[in-house]
Amino acid sequence: MTHDIPRSVQDAASVLLRACLSAARNDTAVAASLRTLTTYLHAELGAGTDSGGSGGGAQHPSARATAGEGAGAHTVLTPPGRPRDGEGARTGSDGKGRQDGRIAEPLAVVVTRARWKAAACRLALQRRENQQAPEEERPALEAQAASREKSLRSRLGALPDTSAWMLDFPFGKRVTEPDAFEVDAATAAKLENIADCYETVATGAEIARDLDESGAFRGGPPPAFLYLLAEAQSALLHSLQEAPTRTDSDQRDVFLWLKDQTTRYRIYVDRHMRLDDPADVTGSSGLQERMRRSARDAMEERNARRERGQILSKIRYHVGKIVADQAPLHSEVDSLRQALERWSEAGNAVTDKGVLDALRPLRPHASKLKDSGTKEEVYELLAESGMAPVDGDPLDGTRDHVVTPTRSGGAAATKSDGPGQQEGDHQDPAKVEHLLEEMRQLLAGKHVVLCCEPTAEADTSGLLEGLGAETLTRLEIEVEADAVERWAKLDGILDAEGADLILLGVRLPAAEYQRFKEACLERHRPFVRLPGAFTAAAIAHQISRQVGWRLRTQGTSKDR
């Protein structure tokens, strides 16, 4: 279509436009006015088509919001994954889309902008409610609404790429129209959903920023959080289906950020990243709570990871001091024991590969320790971690036994050259018999005490027959009972002359367990922790793994 516009008018319009744009750079009121004018013209004249989308490429007609005409239904689209003008500055020197080393930096503006939009939507809803208030109350209510609108518009200039449609024609008609706010409850509920979805996206972006700053995004964002953020942006996208807007900057930025992270860290988000897989637009409150819960889980994992690193550093430090024969060795061994117990109390397996790697330098050095008490403590620490001393050690009758952690946090043996050493061996009949036969030789003539809770299922007569001990006494220990009473029972067993081996089948508090362990060392009383079922094969395995070397040494001494 050709327009007969004189050249002088075109030049005048060009000068005026340049003047307005120049003024807008320094005056937020001018910038806000231009945005309002742009939004108005967009609604009056309509718009063409756009393509792209969260996984889609279909074209959709624009909605018209003319005087006396409601907003037509259309789809809000996400643009293709390419940077907008000026966005290149977000990429750091590492080429990973970071600024100042932060992964979530591109989402920083989303927090403020999405919350502004949510507040603007709720202002429109408040104005609808004002229309239903008694006539004498309306002036005061409208004055409050006008004040809120003024505050919102004053902040609009600082928000890049923000449309104020929810202030100008929230229900498809210009707010200057007499019936602009006369809409039914269903239409108002749709705008309420939009406000909630904006708030949810803002919450997700804020959580991402906080997690990133805390270091929880090191190595990439947690997949579980990305799933929830994908759901949030999809809900926002589809809540805007009937809104008088063509696109939304916050939904677009979150979608593009998700695409970037999932591609970079190879995380597959299988839901809510396509137009044909919409999220529930009414589930914002539940989604926000799930986001916060996911953030707490991520922080706990980050803290646990940091604590694991700190404890491993302490283990390596004390092992290094022992290997270097830096006195006093007993103090270093005691500190090493405390570090290993702290590792266990944090919910980590003592057979973790990191612990085994840290302890490995101690294995060949253990036999060279001159102090017999210190040597015995070191051997016990190695045994508790599933690592026997090296071949040829005068105190060792077994071969190398290395254990690696399983996904569940337990341990599964990966190398064993002797029978009865692997955790699963008590399920193999041949190996069970070999293990029990060896145990009957080691425990022959010995008096064994089994410490367990009153409710524990333990067949003492069956265990006595299977293990081959001289006697096996059951001592019931109530973990929830008075600590003084409980310790009196344990101390009594340690003082008793007839206890050659103590089987500890209860989990004592950390301080009490340390006290018990030190008492056993002082009185040269071997004990075995029982982490599993009270069966002959399982107990024999733990005895062989933890104190087998000591029992074999005692047998060798008697033979001589």
Side-chain angles (χ1 to χ4, degrees), residues 43 185 201:
V201 165

Side-chain angles (χ1 to χ4, degrees), residues 352-515:
D352 182 271
K353 185 178 182 301
V355 173
L356 293 179
D357 290 343
L359 291 175
R360 191 158 282 114
L362 203 56
R363 296 176 68 241
H365 187 76
S367 62
K368 302 174 184 177
L369 295 172
K370 297 178 181 179
D371 181 71
S372 59
T374 302
K375 182 184 296 187
E376 186 174 322
E377 290 183 63
V378 170
Y379 281 155
E380 185 159 341
L381 289 177
L382 291 173
E384 288 178 0
S385 297
M387 184 184 292
V390 295
D391 293 343
D393 191 295
L395 295 182
D396 180 46
T398 65
R399 287 194 171 187
D400 194 13
H401 174 221
V402 178
V403 184
T404 54
T406 64
R407 284 186 179 272
S408 61
T414 58
K415 178 181 177 183
S416 176
D417 297 322
Q421 293 297 313
Q422 295 191 12
E423 193 70 49
D425 283 352
H426 56 264
Q427 297 177 2
D428 185 323
K431 291 181 178 179
V432 165
E433 185 54 38
H434 192 291
L435 173 64
L436 292 178
E437 179 59 34
E438 181 188 32
M439 199 52 52
R440 283 191 281 268
Q441 294 176 14
L442 293 177
L443 297 182
K446 295 189 182 297
H447 302 280
V448 179
V449 178
L450 171 62
C451 300
C452 60
E453 296 190 47
T455 57
E457 297 181 3
D459 180 8
T460 52
S461 59
L463 291 176
L464 180 62
E465 181 180 355
L467 296 174
E470 180 72 22
T471 62
L472 194 149
T473 305
R474 172 175 174 145
L475 177 65
E476 295 184 347
I477 303 293
E478 294 187 33
V479 178
E480 302 299 330
D482 179 69
V484 175
E485 179 182 344
R486 183 169 58 247
W487 179 253
K489 285 187 176 182
L490 292 171
D491 199 39
I493 286 298
L494 294 175
D495 283 337
E497 291 295 331
D500 296 311
L501 176 65
I502 299 174
L503 304 176
L504 188 63
V506 294
R507 187 173 180 82
L508 300 174
E512 193 169 325
Y513 172 72
Q514 178 64 24
R515 180 182 178 187

